[in-house]
Amino acid sequence: AVYKEFFNDHDIDSVKKYIREDYVQHNPGVTQGRQGLMDAFRQKFIDEPTFRLEIKMMIAEDDMVAVYLKNVDPEGNTKCRVVDIYRLKDGKLAEHWDVLQPVISNSMP
């Protein structure tokens, strides 16, 4: 639901339902805490109004979840492949790591 509401519908406030206030962020481009994530993506959604993520696979074990997804353009072309890894606490996302793989024009879809 966080991917649909927050990342794809660009509903900034929806993050409050899914992410802890003390969210630990391991991506150096995003500041710590839930507010840091909200601030970073508020600007990203302005800069990229068609920003969208498609989930391809999710793997969960204990309090950890890994999500493989693609950032796609409005035509469905892959712009970047992403793996997000989360630690959950009390039913909300508490900590985040990610790996990004930009797609070059002659690579696989």
Side-chain angles (χ1 to χ4, degrees), residues 41-58:
F41 277 89
R42 181 177 287 112
Q43 187 59 50
K44 184 165 192 68
F45 297 152
I46 291 168
D47 295 343
E48 293 185 53
T50 60
F51 181 84
R52 178 171 170 72
L53 297 172
E54 288 183 1
I55 295 173
K56 296 300 181 181
M57 180 186 327
M58 295 177 72

Side-chain angles (χ1 to χ4, degrees), residues 15-77:
V15 122
K16 295 174 184 174
K17 295 187 286 187
Y18 305 107
I19 296 179
R20 292 175 54 88
E21 190 172 349
D22 61 349
Y23 184 67
V24 177
Q25 177 62 261
H26 295 281
N27 180 321
V30 180
T31 58
Q32 295 299 310
R34 180 172 64 201
Q35 190 62 50
L37 181 69
M38 293 169 72
D39 293 344
F41 277 89
R42 181 177 287 112
Q43 187 59 50
K44 184 165 192 68
F45 297 152
I46 291 168
D47 295 343
E48 293 185 53
T50 60
F51 181 84
R52 178 171 170 72
L53 297 172
E54 288 183 1
I55 295 173
K56 296 300 181 181
M57 180 186 327
M58 295 177 72
I59 302 167
E61 182 177 318
D62 300 325
D63 65 346
M64 302 296 292
V65 176
V67 184
Y68 170 60
L69 47 102
K70 294 181 179 184
N71 172 224
V72 296
D73 67 17
E75 291 78 38
N77 299 306

